[in-house]
Amino acid sequence: MRSFFGKFKLFGAVLIGVSGVIIYLFYNALTPKELLPVYTPAMVNAELVPQEIQHVRKYHTISNFSLTNQNGQNITQENYKDKIYIADFFFTTCPTICPIMTKNMALIQQRLGNDNEVLLLSHTVTPEIDSVAQLKNYAIEKGVDDSRWNLVTGDKKQIYELARKSYLAVKTDGDGGPFDMIHTENFILVDKEKRIRGFYDGTNTEDIDQLMTDLDILKASYND
């Protein structure tokens, strides 16, 4: 009799275990995965979007570019192929928000550890001042890891068009001419398909934490 009840208990325990696994699998299947929005010009404050693209509701991506980094290397979209990356705009002589932004970008670099799926990209908005040598000195001073973080300079019109028409990061006034100047605290999260997945205040520690959370969500979406 005891043997019979012993077998019954074993069967019951197995049944409960199997039921738990089934419930867990059903729960996971029915729970929607958290996903980040894919930003398009139509979703962003119109003040930050040139009028000619304000109607665009899908297929917005970061345009191709050709710029030069702190080591004198040509940097293009090929360097970011199949990578997630975080972009911003700064200048080395900025006395206000840029030092805070650079400090927070360096913190992101540190928090990424050995993660080679995510890269960083900082564009100077004063390329006439920020030469390769100037960027290199700044990179050394700020602890930039050359293998994952490019500080880039180049044609001013190209950089300003990227900021306005690709990254949707700054007000649209200006043409990238000699007297044009942009200044933005935005960090922009870009996915492997060159699409914008988030905007964050690069001077705000809470926004940096949110960026890191969103980064985990984005990375997880590639592992489903």
Side-chain angles (χ1 to χ4, degrees):
M1 184 66 72
R2 289 181 180 177
S3 177
F4 171 78
F5 281 111
K7 291 179 180 179
F8 181 79
K9 286 181 181 180
L10 178 60
F11 174 76
V14 172
L15 183 61
I16 290 170
V18 170
S19 298
V21 171
I22 291 172
I23 291 170
Y24 174 78
L25 292 174
F26 268 106
Y27 176 80
N28 272 357
L30 294 174
T31 303
K33 298 291 184 183
E34 190 172 6
L35 296 174
L36 301 180
V38 177
Y39 285 93
T40 66
M43 297 169 62
V44 178
N45 183 340
E47 290 186 0
L48 301 176
V49 183
Q51 187 173 3
E52 65 268 27
I53 62 171
Q54 287 177 6
H55 67 283
V56 176
R57 296 184 178 278
K58 55 184 179 179
Y59 306 131
H60 179 78
T61 58
I62 306 303
S63 297
N64 293 330
F65 55 83
S66 179
L67 298 165
T68 306
N69 75 357
Q70 66 268 25
N71 296 310
Q73 299 166 329
N74 183 234
I75 301 299
T76 70
Q77 282 283 15
E78 280 299 305
N79 296 92
Y80 290 83
K81 185 177 180 181
D82 297 325
K83 301 290 185 181
I84 296 167
Y85 71 95
I86 301 160
D88 74 336
F89 294 83
F90 81 111
F91 57 107
T92 61
T93 55
C94 168
T96 55
I97 64 174
C98 298
I100 303 171
M101 292 167 61
T102 302
K103 180 181 177 180
N104 284 333
M105 194 70 91
L107 178 62
I108 291 171
Q109 175 185 257
Q110 180 181 351
R111 290 173 67 172
L112 287 171
N114 295 322
D115 185 347
N116 61 7
E117 190 177 4
V118 184
L119 300 178
L120 310 175
L121 178 61
S122 295
H123 311 72
T124 177
V125 298
T126 58
E128 67 280 5
I129 296 173
D130 289 333
S131 63
V132 169
Q134 177 81 350
L135 290 181
K136 186 61 178 179
N137 289 335
Y138 190 80
I140 293 170
E141 177 187 339
K142 302 301 181 181
V144 171
D145 179 352
D146 289 346
S147 68
R148 67 173 58 199
W149 185 0
N150 289 299
L151 313 181
V152 291
T153 188
D155 179 71
K156 183 177 180 180
K157 285 185 178 294
Q158 180 186 180
I159 293 170
Y160 279 45
E161 184 160 306
L162 282 168
R164 290 179 168 127
K165 294 186 179 181
S166 283
Y167 292 103
L168 312 177
V170 293
K171 291 187 180 296
T172 60
D173 297 339
D175 60 357
F179 302 105
D180 192 3
M181 180 66 183
I182 61 177
H183 209 197
T184 174
E185 72 281 1
N186 275 323
F187 282 6
I188 305 97
L189 178 61
V190 181
D191 68 17
K192 296 180 182 181
E193 290 72 43
K194 303 187 292 186
R195 303 174 301 183
I196 297 173
R197 305 305 294 270
F199 297 93
Y200 311 87
D201 183 341
T203 67
N204 186 301
T205 54
E206 290 182 1
D207 266 30
I208 300 304
D209 288 339
Q210 185 61 56
L211 190 161
M212 298 305 295
T213 297
D214 288 352
L215 185 56
D216 285 340
I217 294 170
L218 182 56
K219 288 167 60 179
S221 72
Y222 288 103
N223 296 323
D224 290 341

